[in-house]
Amino acid sequence: MQEILRCLVVNSFCFVLAMGYAAQLGAQTKNTSQRLVVTGSSTIAPLVNEIARRFESTHPEMRIDVQTGGSSRGITEVRQGIAAIGMVSRALKSDERNLHAFTIAQDGIGVIVHASNPVTGFSRQQIADIYTGKITRWKVLGGADERITVIHKAEGRSTLELFVDYIQRRNSEIKPHVIIGDNAQGIKAVTGNPHAIGYVSIGAAEFEIRRGLPLRLLPLDGIAASVEAVRQGIFPLSRPLNLVTLGEPQGLALEFIEFARSPQVHDLVEAQYFIPVNAD
Amino acid sequence: MPIDQWLPGVLRAGALIALLIMLFILIFLIGESWPVLSKLSIAQLVTDSSWHPLEGAYNLMPMLTGTVLASTGALLLAIPLGLASALFTLFYAPRYLAVSYKRLIELLAGIPSVVFGFWGLTVLVPLINQWHPPGASLLAGILVLTLMILPTVTVTAHAALAAVSDELARNAAALGLSRWGTIQGVMLPAAKAGISAGIMLAAARALGETMAVLMVAGNVVQYPETVFDPVRTLAANIALETAYAMGDHRAVLFVSGLLLMGLIMVFSALAEALEKQQHA
């Protein structure tokens, strides 16, 4: 018993030493450089990461730490003060009005099928029918006599929210065959299955199509799904990509947000197949 | 002598730390799931109509069923295959073949699970899809899991069989037993404890495996009617939704973690009971 106690004492001593050391290290880095934590949507994260790198090259004393975990996490952590800036890939909801949002780009969600699928387009009603299980075969839509594989996203994703809003259904009414996590997984699932239908970010889909993957973006309500249509604001399934802060941004956060909205980063926005905004 | 003085203390401290970590994890899990355990009734996790956490429906049973079915299926395939491989390399294969075969199995054990998942998604799922859509299914999950736990079963069975003392094997030979007679009458009973321990290890790995299953099993929350229906396992559910979950939704995910831990505890208790029965 005594020995256990002795060991405990020694261990906790080591632990306290380590903690103290870590705290000191933390304090040192804080002194030499300013740190900004940005967290949220996995759709926006790669873009903000690029912007942050360019920002750091002109502001060598600053460190910008970009983390992902979805729009909801962005909102939560900004509210808790864990992150200075949140990335949210949708417009703010009514109970989120206490936050400040700054749009840095626009993104559209496109419905994708395999390149070999002859179907030419859908109406909003047809998509709703496919996703609620009323239409189960491609033949009804002018395709092959095969069963439709419906690919849906996991609950909580902003892409899902926007899509479900668009078809005016509740998530529990949807009858999916495959549920996926991020855009990349959705694109892989559709390229691997000629009878599948899914929805992903238009930017991501256009990028993969240009790379030669067997994919096709379908028009919605007769409007071709393209970055161009989203830019003109005529595409029905589109969303703003926002940086959000708790209260008016100040200092480093304000500087970064202004930089992210400036023409200096338009090439980065376009490289990610998003559509830049014109900050006034 | 000095070693004997301080070694017990170090060993005790090590054991204590392992125990404390385990306890902390358990306390953490219970703490995080407390909002749900105290607010909602446990019965709700069984009787709710479906799993739609954002609409307040939290039925975990389809996912528990999916987890158990996928693991059981994989064990049913991996146990005979693994035992056959171990017996083949030890008793029947020529030496050069045995050595290279064993290396191959060990290599299989070292492949990260995402690689299995990626292979499953790009090869296995399209293949099953041609046979019976949608491809991403319980069957795909079982097959990928089988591949993953096969080396565990093989390597542990091989080690257990090889550890049986030479004396036993020589006595059996002296008694004129055939090769198969020696295996089933002497070697297998003598190695039983080691083999079943390996199987339990494999079972625990199958229950907790996340990434590979997430990529191929389709992740639809439902009771599968055939092996071609998609399922979601508890581990996959946590991985899919944690990043985007808030409030009660998040707490229920921790409950599913608790459930998974309980399941693994039941398994290890079973293993212990089996072993006791064998010694009695």
Side-chain angles (χ1 to χ4, degrees):
Chain A
M1 194 58 214
Q2 238 179 349
E3 276 172 65
I4 297 181
L5 274 179
R6 207 187 315 143
C7 282
L8 256 182
V9 170
V10 171
N11 268 316
S12 39
F13 182 68
C14 293
F15 188 68
V16 169
L17 266 186
M19 287 283 284
Y21 184 65
Q24 214 177 7
L25 262 185
Q28 268 176 6
T29 44
K30 213 177 252 173
N31 284 343
T32 51
S33 71
Q34 285 177 285
R35 211 161 146 266
L36 192 68
V37 177
V38 184
T39 183
S41 163
S42 62
T43 312
I44 313 179
L47 170 63
V48 169
N49 210 7
E50 292 292 316
I51 295 177
R53 222 178 291 163
R54 186 170 289 181
F55 187 71
E56 281 169 359
S57 68
T58 52
H59 301 73
E61 75 286 2
M62 290 172 182
R63 292 276 312 127
I64 293 166
D65 189 1
V66 182
Q67 299 165 2
T68 61
S71 300
S72 315
R73 181 173 163 202
I75 299 262
T76 317
E77 300 207 338
V78 163
R79 278 197 177 140
Q80 294 170 343
I82 300 172
I85 300 177
M87 299 176 281
V88 180
S89 53
R90 53 172 164 75
L92 291 185
K93 295 181 197 169
S94 54
D95 61 338
E96 292 163 354
R97 288 287 143 77
N98 57 335
L99 302 171
H100 292 257
F102 303 88
T103 304
I104 57 169
Q106 291 278 339
D107 181 29
I109 293 173
V111 174
I112 52 171
V113 293
H114 195 269
S116 67
N117 194 324
V119 172
T120 50
F122 305 118
S123 66
R124 184 190 296 229
Q125 185 58 41
Q126 280 171 324
I127 292 185
D129 286 350
I130 291 173
Y131 270 83
T132 51
K134 283 190 196 121
I135 298 179
T136 57
R137 302 196 76 85
W138 283 113
K139 204 177 175 184
V140 184
L141 303 160
D145 189 16
E146 295 282 355
R147 220 183 84 175
I148 302 175
T149 300
V150 176
I151 299 178
H152 192 46
K153 289 215 167 188
E155 196 148 17
R157 309 250 162 182
S158 67
T159 342
L160 174 143
E161 241 171 275
L162 187 61
F163 180 78
V164 172
D165 268 358
Y166 171 73
I167 62 172
Q168 294 164 325
R169 292 292 187 278
R170 279 186 312 147
N171 191 26
S172 50
E173 293 173 76
I174 289 175
K175 307 233 179 325
H177 300 125
V178 177
I179 289 181
I180 50 139
D182 54 13
N183 287 333
Q185 208 187 346
I187 285 168
K188 280 196 200 87
V190 173
T191 49
N193 183 345
H195 313 302
I197 177 169
Y199 56 91
V200 294
S201 168
I202 288 186
E206 270 197 354
F207 176 72
E208 297 294 348
I209 290 169
R210 222 166 296 176
R211 269 185 55 205
L213 286 191
L215 273 186
R216 223 146 45 80
L217 270 166
L218 289 184
L220 288 185
D221 300 330
I223 299 160
S226 68
V227 166
E228 197 46 49
V230 178
R231 191 198 310 271
Q232 290 163 11
I234 52 172
F235 193 68
L237 248 175
S238 65
R239 57 179 174 178
L241 305 181
N242 289 321
L243 294 182
V244 303
T245 57
L246 186 68
E248 284 290 343
Q250 280 164 355
L252 181 55
L254 178 65
E255 226 179 300
F256 181 70
I257 289 173
E258 278 176 349
F259 182 75
R261 284 161 60 84
S262 71
Q264 294 172 64
V265 299
H266 279 186
D267 58 322
L268 296 179
V269 174
E270 278 160 3
Q272 302 276 342
Y273 304 98
F274 296 135
I275 298 100
V277 289
N278 295 316
D280 24 68
Chain B
M1 196 54 203
I3 289 189
D4 281 334
Q5 269 170 8
W6 57 260
L7 191 62
V10 172
L11 295 183
R12 263 179 225 161
L16 198 69
I17 290 173
L19 182 77
L20 280 181
I21 291 176
M22 180 65 203
L23 267 179
F24 275 135
I25 292 177
L26 199 65
I27 291 170
F28 171 77
L29 274 178
I30 293 175
E32 288 286 341
S33 37
W34 192 246
V36 164
L37 293 178
S38 57
K39 200 162 50 182
L40 314 169
S41 66
I42 305 261
Q44 240 183 302
L45 302 177
V46 183
T47 56
D48 271 354
S49 59
S50 61
W51 171 260
H52 285 101
L54 295 184
E55 293 168 25
Y58 301 109
N59 191 351
L60 288 174
M61 286 307 118
M63 286 183 277
L64 188 63
T65 315
T67 310
V68 172
L69 282 177
S71 303
T72 317
L75 281 174
L76 285 179
L77 286 176
I79 292 172
L81 277 175
L83 272 181
S85 317
L87 291 174
F88 172 72
T89 48
L90 267 177
F91 301 110
Y92 292 94
R95 197 171 160 67
Y96 70 95
L97 196 63
V99 171
S100 45
Y101 186 83
K102 193 157 170 277
R103 290 274 170 283
L104 205 71
I105 291 283
E106 282 164 359
L107 190 68
L108 199 63
I111 297 178
S113 60
V114 249
V115 177
F116 280 112
F118 193 64
W119 172 81
L121 186 64
T122 51
V123 179
L124 196 60
V125 168
L127 214 64
I128 298 176
N129 180 50
Q130 281 173 14
W131 182 20
H132 198 298
S137 56
L138 177 59
L139 180 65
I142 288 176
L143 291 177
V144 165
L145 273 182
T146 303
L147 270 183
M148 292 187 53
I149 63 174
L150 178 63
T152 315
V153 176
T154 310
V155 170
T156 50
H158 188 279
L161 286 166
V164 174
S165 88
D166 268 351
E167 209 176 319
L168 283 180
R170 279 199 218 109
N171 282 340
L175 287 170
L177 288 181
S178 66
R179 198 182 288 189
W180 175 242
T182 313
I183 292 172
Q184 64 123 29
V186 179
M187 304 305 279
L188 281 179
K192 212 168 168 185
I195 294 175
S196 40
I199 290 174
M200 288 307 143
L201 209 67
R205 190 175 180 200
L207 283 174
E209 175 50 39
T210 310
M211 230 24 235
V213 180
L214 179 116
M215 289 167 90
V216 301
N219 305 316
V220 178
V221 184
Q222 61 179 4
Y223 294 108
E225 280 163 22
T226 67
V227 288
F228 298 108
D229 287 339
V231 293
R232 188 187 295 186
T233 65
L234 286 170
N237 187 46
I238 296 173
L240 264 178
E241 296 188 358
T242 304
Y244 298 87
M246 289 185 295
D248 282 353
H249 182 187
R250 197 176 121 93
V252 177
L253 290 179
F254 278 102
V255 175
S256 53
L258 216 55
L259 206 61
L260 201 57
M261 211 155 136
L263 209 61
I264 290 170
M265 278 181 191
V266 168
F267 256 76
S268 59
L270 267 180
E272 210 165 308
L274 272 176
E275 219 163 296
K276 266 191 194 145
Q277 212 175 27
Q278 190 195 330
H279 289 307

